Amino acid sequence: MATLTIINYPDPRLHTVAKPVLAVNDEIRQLVSDMAETMYAAPGIGLAATQVDQHIQLIVIDTTKEQNNLQVFINPKIVAKSGLTEYEEGCLSVPGVYETVTRAENVRVEALDENGKKFTSDAGDLLAICIQHEIDHLLGKVFVEYLSPLKRNRIRKRLIKQAREFEKNAD
Ligand code: K2U
Ligand code: ZN
C-alpha cells in the first residue's frame, strides 16, 4: 500500500482526458489499493485516477461515515440521469475551496469492478454527486469550471500564490 501525491489545481495535468482501462489486472488492483489509501488519508469520499496523475478511467468512492464500503468504478459511464440537486462541493485537488454546484439528483452508472466484471448501479444523494464529480475528473474537468470566470480566476491566483509560498518555505 502507498499514499500517492494528489495534483493540485491549476496543474494542467488535471485537464487530461483519461483513457479506458483495457485489462483489469493486478497492476490496476494495486492502483485501486493505493488510491483508496490516499483517499482515506486525505480524507475524502472519492478520488479519480487523474488526480494522482494516472490518466485511466478509474475512480474510487466511499461515502460511508465508517469508511468501510469502498466502491470501485472502472470505465464508468452514466447511462441515465434524472432530477437536479445543489451541493456545496469541495475537491482534494482544490484545497480550501467550497462552492455550490448543480448536478443530476440521480444517476445510473455502468462500470467494471476490480475483477473486471460489468455492473450497473443506481445512485442518489451524495453518492450520485460524487460519481458525477469523479467522472468529471476523468473527462479532465475540475468543479471550479462550473463557477464564474471571475470566481475561478480568483481561486486560480490564490492557489498559485499558496503553492509558491509553500515551495519558498520548503527551501
Ligand atoms: O474528487 C475529489 O476531489 C474528491 C472529493 C469528492 C466529492 C466532492 C464533492 C462532493 C462529493 C464528493 C472529496 O471527497 S472532497 C471532500 C468531501 C468530503 C465529504 C463530503 C464532500 C466532500
Ligand atoms: Zn475533485
Side-chain angles (χ1 to χ4, degrees):
M1 298 265 272
T3 53
L4 306 172
T5 300
I6 295 175
I7 302 173
N8 278 347
Y9 185 83
D11 191 311
R13 290 173 292 177
L14 287 173
H15 302 299
T16 307
V17 177
K19 291 184 168 55
V21 172
L22 301 178
V24 181
N25 53 29
D26 287 346
E27 185 183 342
I28 296 295
R29 283 183 281 272
Q30 181 60 55
L31 179 57
V32 166
S33 175
D34 292 346
M35 284 175 62
E37 183 178 340
T38 304
M39 176 188 73
Y40 288 128
I45 61 170
L47 190 66
T50 307
Q51 293 176 274
V52 291
D53 203 19
Q54 296 294 317
H55 302 289
I56 57 170
Q57 295 175 17
L58 165 57
I59 62 180
V60 296
I61 293 175
D62 187 343
T63 57
T64 62
K65 286 186 179 56
E66 303 75 17
Q67 295 195 324
N68 61 1
N69 182 33
L70 184 71
Q71 298 188 64
V72 179
F73 298 82
I74 298 171
N75 301 339
K77 183 172 180 243
I78 293 174
V79 295
K81 51 187 177 182
S82 65
L84 287 176
T85 186
E86 289 186 345
Y87 190 85
E88 191 177 56
E89 298 192 9
C91 180
L92 296 176
S93 294
V94 192
V97 176
Y98 299 90
E99 293 286 349
T100 301
V101 176
T102 302
R103 295 187 190 271
E105 187 177 16
N106 303 292
V107 296
R108 169 166 292 179
V109 60
E110 289 179 357
L112 303 180
D113 66 18
E114 62 272 34
N115 298 307
K117 187 170 184 294
K118 188 172 180 181
F119 71 95
T120 301
S121 174
D122 288 328
D125 302 319
L126 185 55
L127 180 57
I129 293 168
C130 192
I131 287 170
Q132 294 173 83
H133 179 108
E134 304 308 338
I135 289 179
D136 268 357
H137 276 302
L138 299 183
L139 295 170
K141 189 165 186 172
V142 183
F143 87 108
V144 295
E145 295 172 48
Y146 291 101
L147 309 179
S148 69
L150 180 65
K151 262 193 180 178
R152 187 164 60 248
N153 285 326
R154 278 183 184 153
I155 291 164
R156 174 191 290 268
K157 285 180 182 150
R158 187 164 81 237
L159 290 179
I160 288 171
K161 183 169 181 278
Q162 281 175 3
R164 283 183 182 145
E165 283 166 359
F166 181 79
E167 282 166 16
K168 195 167 61 174
N169 293 338
D171 291 345

